DNA sequence: TGGACAGGTAGGAAATTTCCTACCTATAGT
DNA sequence: ACTATAGGTAGGAAATTTCCTACCTGTCCA
């Protein structure tokens, strides 16, 4: 069935989009500061404008952002629903890291106090 | 401070590791079927052995799997804690997709019933 | 109507990823 | 010791990603 392939391809694009630190930072900026035009975001990155445009294209094709034209600006906006799909992918793993974190906490609790952090 | 860079680099490696459908599938297999030797997992992929080894290396360097030698086999095991860090990255976005999903549900509720799903 | 500005596309170089074949190492069994 | 098996490393081709400079389009404003 082709439907599952399309879903799968969409999932691939979302995970691939998140693989870049630049693109994750863009999502964070849109989350914390709301919709913004390109120049506002691009100013935070040491990168030529077309390179930044390319990152926006990857985010757009993953469905993670949308754009709205206002005059000669394009406001980009966070579209968070695909991130929900990522979380759903993660959910079945949760019990495994909870086990591990619980085990780690037990070990730490059994160590002598060391408020200064003597590691190194 | 170098520490944050190291943390950042670790986060990068985890997200980059998740970008491959093959590697996500490996994590799922280790989750659902427990620790397994390489051949058992590799059999599910149409890929030469060294290519699969390379995927395992990426997962190892991201801290997402560990290996334990038993005879001449190496059992790989899921290490889920880095996935917890992914979930923590995702958490601050949750309220945005919840808004969206709630909005979508309202729209769907306002549509006439269509049990057969008429979308082609 | 002519800049100037926002932001995209085109085309290409360099780096990285993904896959391969060939080969090496370590362990098990005879 | 010899051979087979598990799985890694080496080296390289092809595809993809990431960045660049140059240029184009659309909108605003004088």
């Amino acid at each position: 069935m082709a439907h599952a392939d399309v879903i799968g391809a969409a999932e691939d694009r979302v995970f691939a989009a998140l693989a870049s630190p630049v693109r994750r930072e863009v999502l964070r900026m849109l989350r914390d500061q709301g919709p913004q035009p390109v120049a506002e975001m691009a100013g935070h990155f040491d990168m030529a404008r077309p390179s930044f445009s390319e990152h926006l294209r990857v985010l757009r094709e993953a469905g993670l952002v949308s754009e709205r034209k206002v005059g000669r600006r394009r406001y980009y906006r966070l579209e968070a629903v695909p991130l929900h799909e990522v979380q759903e992918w993660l959910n079945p793993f949760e019990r495994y890291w909870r086990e591990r974190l619980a085990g780690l906490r037990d070990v730490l609790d059994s160590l002598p106090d060391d408020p200064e952090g003597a590691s190194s």
Side-chain angles (χ1 to χ4, degrees), chain A:
Chain A
M1 189 226 240
H3 186 57
D5 293 348
V6 172
I7 297 291
E11 186 184 273
D12 287 356
R13 275 195 293 273
V14 174
F15 275 101
L18 294 180
S20 156
V22 169
R23 291 190 291 262
R24 289 198 304 279
E25 183 60 26
V26 168
L27 295 177
R28 246 194 303 231
M29 288 173 49
L30 292 175
R31 179 195 69 201
D32 294 341
Q33 297 155 44
Q36 294 172 63
V38 175
E40 189 115 359
M41 294 186 282
H44 292 69
F45 299 94
D46 181 21
M47 181 183 296
R49 194 60 64 78
S51 308
F52 191 69
S53 270
E54 172 70 8
H55 283 298
L56 291 178
R57 188 185 60 73
V58 172
L59 289 168
R60 237 184 295 122
E61 291 181 354
L64 285 161
V65 300
S66 59
E67 60 169 5
R68 175 179 52 109
K69 299 186 62 171
V70 175
R72 60 186 144 178
R73 307 233 177 94
R74 302 186 190 192
Y75 281 81
Y76 275 79
R77 179 192 151 101
L78 173 67
E79 294 293 340
V81 170
L83 294 179
H84 178 226
E85 290 156 20
V86 172
Q87 203 204 37
E88 291 194 318
W89 186 88
L90 286 174
N91 277 339
F93 291 94
E94 178 162 5
R95 60 172 295 246
Y96 298 94
W97 74 64
R98 285 181 59 108
E99 280 171 13
R100 265 316 175 90
L101 292 174
L104 179 60
R105 181 159 30 72
D106 292 346
V107 170
L108 290 178
D109 287 351
S110 71
L111 290 176
D113 284 4
D114 181 6
E116 300 304 321
S119 76
S120 102

